Amino acid sequence: PFSLLVVAGSGGHTTEILRLLSCLSESYSPRHYVLADSDKMSEAKIRSFEQKRAETFSESQFSLDRIPRSREVRQSWISSVLTTLHSILYSLPLTYKRKPDLILCNGPGTCVPVCLSAFLLGLLRIKRTIIVYVESICRVETLSLSGKILYYFSDYFIVQWPDLKKKYPKSVYLGRIV
């Protein structure tokens, strides 16, 4: 078993991450999903995905956790620093409690505090977690804000367009994966 923490985001981010998860074996269990407390759509998508997965893998286990949203759409940069710090305060105990082996995320703002919390736990030698960031397929020429931050903290930074690989040499280009 390989404990997996998945950060879901509203709308397209959740759809993309669930497509990625559908390719993973049953070894990635339990799956712990983290979503923003204001995200109403992702929970239903995740529950539906997990219900279908349970039909194939009878030992399928998952949990859902919520944290405060770190940044709302069109929120000012100054106030987003404060709300992100607030989210990190919620993420630290959650990440410590779940102690995932791997974090998989694809760009929602909610992933930044979760990944930074896991990175901090690794620095403190409490739990080393592999962070895999997959930039959204819609990011063709530039990284998302989450990507610009997590480029420096992730173990694997995956892009889906060759131009991004040229601009960000640490990234891994695998072509279209979602």
Side-chain angles (χ1 to χ4, degrees), residues 139-168:
R139 303 306 298 201
V140 177
E141 296 179 5
T142 61
L143 298 179
S144 62
L145 178 58
S146 298
K148 288 175 183 174
I149 295 168
L150 294 177
Y151 180 75
Y152 300 99
F153 296 97
S154 61
D155 296 286
Y156 299 96
F157 191 93
I158 299 169
V159 295
Q160 299 182 64
W161 295 97
D163 286 349
L164 287 176
K165 170 62 181 164
K166 291 175 192 168
K167 289 180 183 177
Y168 301 95

Side-chain angles (χ1 to χ4, degrees), residues 81-124:
V81 170
L82 295 174
T83 53
T84 299
L85 288 173
H86 183 241
S87 294
I88 290 172
L89 290 175
Y90 276 80
S91 299
L92 270 169
L94 174 64
T95 308
Y96 178 79
K97 174 182 156 187
R98 297 297 183 196
K99 289 188 176 72
D101 298 306
L102 172 71
I103 292 178
L104 180 62
C105 55
N106 68 333
T110 306
C111 71
V112 172
V114 173
C115 291
L116 292 178
S117 296
F119 185 78
L120 180 60
L121 292 177
L123 286 178
L124 296 173

Side-chain angles (χ1 to χ4, degrees), residues 69-81 83-84:
R69 187 177 292 272
S70 60
R71 183 171 185 268
E72 295 288 346
V73 175
R74 295 185 189 89
Q75 181 179 349
S76 75
W77 297 109
I78 297 297
S79 65
S80 67
V81 170
T83 53
T84 299

